[in-house]
Amino acid sequence: MLSDGTKIQKNDLLLKIHLHNIRLTRELLHLNSEIKKGRYIYEQVKEGLPYIANYLRNHEQFSEIKGIIGITMLNKGCEQLGFETFSIVNPFYKWFKTIAFIPMIVVSQLRFSS
């Protein structure tokens, strides 16, 4: 249940978005503080929102799309952009997503520390 009263159910039509993690990793290399990195990601997402809105408005199933969904470990500042955050409930899916993020975390730590 979303804060506006929208109820998301199985088989509802959602728009799934994701951050291009490899591109972000490359672009964040020159930033030396976690605050600057977070701010950069926030600004990139903010700049992309009008394009997402335009895509939605022009989508043939616009009236049926209930929301936008994405999975990320970046959740600070989401509310300021109009997103709500929820924890993954299914323990198997949560485990799978955690395992999938490990290589990205390791690579980014190696690249950022050099």
Side-chain angles (χ1 to χ4, degrees):
M1 182 71 72
L2 303 179
S3 63
D4 70 353
T6 302
K7 186 175 183 181
I8 305 294
Q9 298 177 330
K10 187 176 182 176
N11 297 321
D12 281 345
L13 189 59
L14 302 170
L15 175 67
K16 185 174 182 181
I17 61 171
H18 69 92
L19 298 177
H20 194 301
N21 293 305
I22 302 301
R23 182 181 139 217
L24 275 174
T25 300
R26 275 191 237 121
E27 292 174 358
L28 295 174
L29 279 174
H30 70 281
L31 301 176
N32 57 2
S33 104
E34 294 302 313
I35 293 172
K36 288 180 183 177
K37 291 174 188 176
R39 186 162 204 81
Y40 179 80
I41 293 169
Y42 174 87
E43 292 299 327
Q44 291 296 302
V45 171
K46 185 177 175 182
E47 285 179 26
L49 289 177
Y51 299 102
I52 294 171
N54 188 48
Y55 176 83
L56 281 169
R57 272 192 298 273
N58 294 315
H59 196 282
E60 62 187 28
Q61 294 175 292
F62 172 73
S63 62
E64 299 167 40
I65 298 174
K66 282 241 186 144
I68 301 171
I69 188 171
I71 298 174
T72 183
M73 293 183 351
L74 307 167
N75 57 10
K76 292 185 179 174
C78 291
E79 289 83 9
Q80 294 171 342
L81 294 171
F83 292 100
E84 294 180 50
T85 60
F86 299 91
S87 296
I88 297 173
V89 178
N90 184 310
F92 297 108
Y93 191 66
K94 187 174 188 172
W95 176 83
F96 171 76
K97 293 310 279 184
T98 301
I99 296 300
F101 273 111
I102 288 174
M104 286 186 277
I105 293 167
V106 170
V107 168
S108 68
Q109 293 300 318
L110 291 173
R111 297 194 81 180
F112 292 133
S113 64
S114 51

